[in-house]
Amino acid sequence: MARIVGGVGTSHVPAIGAASDNDKTGDDYWAPLFAGYGPAREWIRRVDPDVAIIVYNDHATAFSLQLIPTFGLGMGSEYPPADEGYGPRRVPMVHGDEKLSWHLAESLVVNDEIDITFVNDLHVDHGLTVPLTIMCDRPEEWPFRVIPLAVNVIQYPQPTGHRCLELGRAIRRAVESYPEDLRVVVFGTGGMSHQLQGERAGLINREFDLAFLDRLVADPDGQAAVPHVDYLRQAGSEGLELIMWLVMRGALGGDVREVYRHYHVPASNTAAGLIVLEPVGDKG
Amino acid sequence: MARIVGGVGTSHVPAIGAASDNDKTGDDYWAPLFAGYGPAREWIRRVDPDVAIIVYNDHATAFSLQLIPTFGLGMGSEYPPADEGYGPRRVPMVHGDEKLSWHLAESLVVNDEIDITFVNDLHVDHGLTVPLTIMCDRPEEWPFRVIPLAVNVIQYPQPTGHRCLELGRAIRRAVESYPEDLRVVVFGTGGMSHQLQGERAGLINREFDLAFLDRLVADPDGQAAVPHVDYLRQAGSEGLELIMWLVMRGALGGDVREVYRHYHVPASNTAAGLIVLEPVGDKG
Amino acid sequence: MSPPTDTTTKPWDDIPGTYVQDGDHYRRGYRLNMLLMTLNTEEGRRAFAADEAGSLDRAGVTPEQKRAVLDRDWLAMLRLGANVYYLLKLAAHDRVSVQHMAGSMSGISEQEFIDMMVSGGRSPEGNLYTDATEGGS
Amino acid sequence: MSPPTDTTTKPWDDIPGTYVQDGDHYRRGYRLNMLLMTLNTEEGRRAFAADEAGSLDRAGVTPEQKRAVLDRDWLAMLRLGANVYYLLKLAAHDRVSVQHMAGSMSGISEQEFIDMMVSGGRSPEGNLYTDATEGGS
Ligand SMILES: [Fe+3]
Ligand SMILES: [Fe+3]
């Protein structure tokens, strides 16, 4: 039986990927951030997952205003890194797990009435590949298969925090009903506080971010009830990406153990956060 | 305040559109079918809606296996008739209602946690245009605006009957919370029993179809609990399209009055059904 | 995309002569269906008509799928992963009727199929379960 | 697509200096954003670089949007419906940094913006409500 052995919440700032790709992780600007990634990288090596379900948002790359899925689930066998303006990142091909994707789709739609959009041909942007870099550094091949789950966080109306948490819980049920013996990790990505636009660009809210991390661990239902306008106001317009961490949290079940936390300002225009969680009662 | 003044369930067989487009509605083969459309056309002229929300499925036209939304809501101002192999049908442009689309999206996602895919550029195929022909004949311009709502009925896993009914109920709440004074009709399209494929092609199940119509009117929750395999088995593989009628039924609220019913075999390979419903307590 | 085999039992396995578009069918037919999808445009239809074999090769379909398309073996295409809604694009391209295609799949002529439909269609009786015992399964 | 005006009040109206991608913004910026989307491909970037004005005309953007793009007036583009994730494609095309773009929108230089971020970013204090009374609204 498959099971969820851990969860990762992490920012997915493009500049973090660029710093890694361009050998700048030792620079004064980047060294403190990357130093904090060490323990998380050790953790995931130890946990050694077979598959990561990466909850992320596409940034006008695979999707545009022409078509915006609330929840887009990757069904493919390969997800090439996308060209976002500079040509594709030179990182390994992202390999999928079609069988598990179909199982997830079936369980989510039939058992939990989540209205998934099935996406086969999907180029994945920094929202998905930067978290891989953060957790895995620069391997020849990514050490696990990946199922992308793209969430609309850009276009109002975004799914509610409650819905994101429920999606996570449905993912947990789906994984636990999969007959193969797989170790699955779920990533929630994006955030933390940042605003890239407008006269208020550059907003950082450390207090909000740290409170979010605390409540994510201890009171996910409470955090899921926070209305979107509070994120926009307190965490910046792009800080709303944090709702994707609720999907990850839901997938971990009731109580969790906080394995590791890292918080650093700035990564480019963003407060970079990282949290590693394990479900209580499960061994990694 | 906008309100839902009626519902239409109807087959959307391409050959019905072709018969209309090619002036064959008086032929022996087609005359009995089209004769039965008269009272429904009179009804919709009398009801004179401002907008029709047309629940239909795309037939490998706007969507392909590359990307399959469970529920795709049209957000555009125009939906051109699509080329499905013979060039586009020569029927009028389908005009949308962007403001109502955005209101629906907001209400469905935020209030009812339906995970809509927003679709702007959408060419509409026979699934949407044939019902317009059935209800409106061949006008210079369609007499009302249209909001397409595309449901995945082709690719397993399809949304459950229960989910379809709940989507309809959420549409009702959305329409009733719209400040403009609009008269809205909802179409559920597809079906009835038919199977276009395999050694069992040509299956027609009159008994199933008529029982479906009865329960759609009197016991929608009971009909919504029927598992998909029963449709596949009893109504043919393409008969599963009937779940879209449940969306329409949900949008009409509790009790309904059956205004009109028509049933004819065959339209091409299909049992053609038509039902007109009004919410009880509302005047058309 | 690896060609899948159906390994699990499914609730529709005992429906006779019916091919359900599930995940296995999806994966089996992906490339073939995406090729058929190109017939939605005039440009795609011209390209296919000009060089069917080459179009099939470029689409990366299997040799069996290619053979089935070139032979217009509708049942074989279906079994090899084609979806009926995509096959209708090929029927439109060939200017053959749905009745021709459906008749071919069910082993009768176009006219026999039309006559069957006019007489009320294929009866559910004996056609709901593979073992032909109604209510079985 | 008719250019919309914002007629309803929204819960985020009192957040200062923030442009929310709602339905009105979507409709206002649709064509402009779809043009910016073309910068995702090498081909699109070449076409835009070769003839910016012509690309904008062909995309059907408004004269105000065209002017804002040609002038690289980032705040004007935003106000006229551009979305920041789409604007980042133009920043990438121009090889200017996010800090340059964000600084331009907030009225400071790239270096000033970088320095502000290194010092912990723009403070929430006084920046959560337009009337600058924390907890108001
Ligand atoms: Fe992001
Ligand atoms: Fe259909």
Side-chain angles (χ1 to χ4, degrees), chain D residues 13-31:
Chain D
D13 281 344
D14 65 346
I15 305 178
T18 301
Y19 301 81
V20 173
Q21 179 70 24
D22 62 8
D24 291 319
H25 203 84
Y26 174 101
R27 291 166 60 194
R28 192 184 294 123
Y30 187 83
R31 289 176 178 171

Side-chain angles (χ1 to χ4, degrees), chain B residues 12-14 57 59 126-127 153 189-191 194 238 241 244, chain C residues 85:
Chain B
H12 60 208
V13 184
N57 69 291
H59 301 76
H126 71 269
V153 297
T189 76
H194 66 306
E238 282 67 66
E241 294 183 342
M244 295 184 287
Chain C
Y85 292 114

